Amino acid sequence: FHAPNLTPDAETGIGNWNADQFWRALHEGRGDQGELLYPVFPYTHYTKLGRADADAMFAYLRSLAPVRRVNQPHMLRFPYDQRWLLVAWRALFFRPGVYAIDTVRDDHWNRGAYLVQGLGHCGACHESRNSLGAVQSRDNPAGGVVLNWYAPALDASDEAGVSHWSESRIVELLRSGVTEGASTMGPMAEVVYESLQHLAQDDLKAMAAYLQSLPDRNQAKSKAVVAETDPAAMPGAKLYADHCADCHGEQGQGTSPAAPALAGNRALTLRSTVNPIRAVLYGGYAPGTAGNPQPYGMPPYYATLSDAEVAQILSYVRASWGNQASEVQDFEVTRQRTGPLW
């Protein structure tokens, strides 16, 4: 998909749009001529926006300098290039509707729910989808692989759930991208850098209140198969000592603030191995924000370590220092040598 020009250029942008057409795009997923929009544009979440916020967004876009840039057509395979099929998809999976206030909750919580569910469209990544791309959060709130990274569940304490966190810790992570025992990488680091760090403190606190209130479903999940081999006897033990221990510590204790602890690190022990693999292969940084202006980075090892060696290191750290997670296989690493690197 190619994103369209949103500057107020009359010929190639939205210069001829009015506020009603913009509202219809956000609320109903329709273009200026009434054509159905593909849900890669997250109108399935933006539909929750109130009209005042939609009008404010439109006023901001209209204030930008117009840029003449012709929109590129999408490059889609059959049958996805058949836009008329969206009629059936929408009938099955889309119901427009502004966020409805939960009268049992206070205004602070409702503001957070509105931001997370609608304006921030967190569920666009953090909710599971079926084979047709429709959100299916009822069965599993984790979003699976998004932009080649895994979006963990927001209501599971062994993934990204924060029901047991303090408000200040949640706010710090959303605003700065780092907090004690946690940091953001990959697409989430970009979300913090481009969006969340600019939110008002009250809005961040409201989001924290909503996220804290999500019931912890961790207990309902089955545990991953854990390797029975003594970690010290694993081939990854020496590789870890040679390549990782100087920063992350011999016992995975980390070196604050440069390198996070690996012992008890839930980002490392996710059932999905995608994120740890990509972190080792490509490295990366937390976002540079006001609260973290000089972020420390993880060096890339894609050119230094083979797929087997990456798998061995991760299998070792996922089974050491109290960590309990399944082994990583060579082919899992091979699969991740593609896509956005961050």
Side-chain angles (χ1 to χ4, degrees), residues 74-305:
H74 301 315
M75 301 173 63
L76 304 176
R77 297 188 303 271
F78 181 84
Y80 306 106
D81 60 349
Q82 304 297 304
R83 192 181 289 260
W84 65 270
L85 290 175
L86 287 171
V87 173
W89 188 92
R90 291 162 61 99
L92 289 171
F93 304 119
F94 176 57
R95 298 292 183 275
V98 174
Y99 175 77
I101 297 294
D102 186 338
T103 57
V104 177
R105 302 283 190 169
D106 60 22
D107 291 344
H108 185 63
W109 183 94
N110 275 286
R111 176 63 176 171
Y114 174 74
L115 291 170
V116 171
Q117 295 178 17
L119 197 58
H121 58 284
C122 302
C125 292
H126 288 281
E127 290 179 313
S128 64
R129 295 177 183 269
N130 63 18
S131 59
L132 296 177
V135 168
Q136 296 287 287
S137 58
R138 182 182 304 174
D139 299 320
N140 179 8
V145 176
V146 180
L147 296 175
N148 293 90
W149 287 71
Y150 176 70
L154 297 179
D155 67 346
S157 59
D158 63 344
E159 293 207 1
V162 292
S163 60
H164 58 298
W165 283 28
S166 66
E167 177 192 85
S168 61
R169 191 179 177 198
I170 301 171
V171 168
E172 185 177 34
L173 182 66
L174 296 177
R175 182 185 57 214
S176 301
V178 295
T179 190
E180 180 184 359
S183 62
T184 58
M185 288 183 69
M188 189 61 196
E190 186 174 351
V191 169
V192 173
Y193 180 78
E194 298 285 358
S195 178
L196 295 179
Q197 69 164 319
H198 304 294
L199 264 63
Q201 184 77 353
D202 286 346
D203 282 343
L204 290 171
K205 289 183 176 180
M207 292 176 70
Y210 172 74
L211 293 170
Q212 279 179 316
S213 74
L214 297 177
D216 185 2
R217 296 186 341 121
N218 184 35
Q219 300 302 320
K221 295 191 171 188
S222 59
K223 292 294 182 181
V225 177
V226 180
E228 298 180 358
T229 307
D230 178 9
M234 288 178 155
K238 185 178 186 310
L239 288 168
Y240 176 85
D242 292 342
H243 296 281
C244 315
D246 284 348
C247 292
H248 291 285
E250 294 182 359
Q251 299 302 313
Q253 73 273 18
T255 306
S256 182
L262 302 181
N265 189 323
R266 63 179 181 174
L268 179 66
T269 57
L270 291 169
R271 287 162 179 79
S272 169
T273 60
V274 167
N275 294 357
I277 290 173
R278 297 192 74 81
V280 173
L281 285 178
Y282 306 116
Y285 285 83
T289 59
N292 187 38
Q294 294 181 312
Y296 291 90
M298 167 79 177
Y301 284 93
Y302 70 91
T304 307
L305 300 173

Side-chain angles (χ1 to χ4, degrees), residues 325-337:
S326 59
E327 292 186 6
V328 178
Q329 304 300 320
D330 301 7
F331 68 86
E332 295 178 277
V333 181
T334 304
R335 286 176 178 171
Q336 298 308 318
R337 288 190 182 267

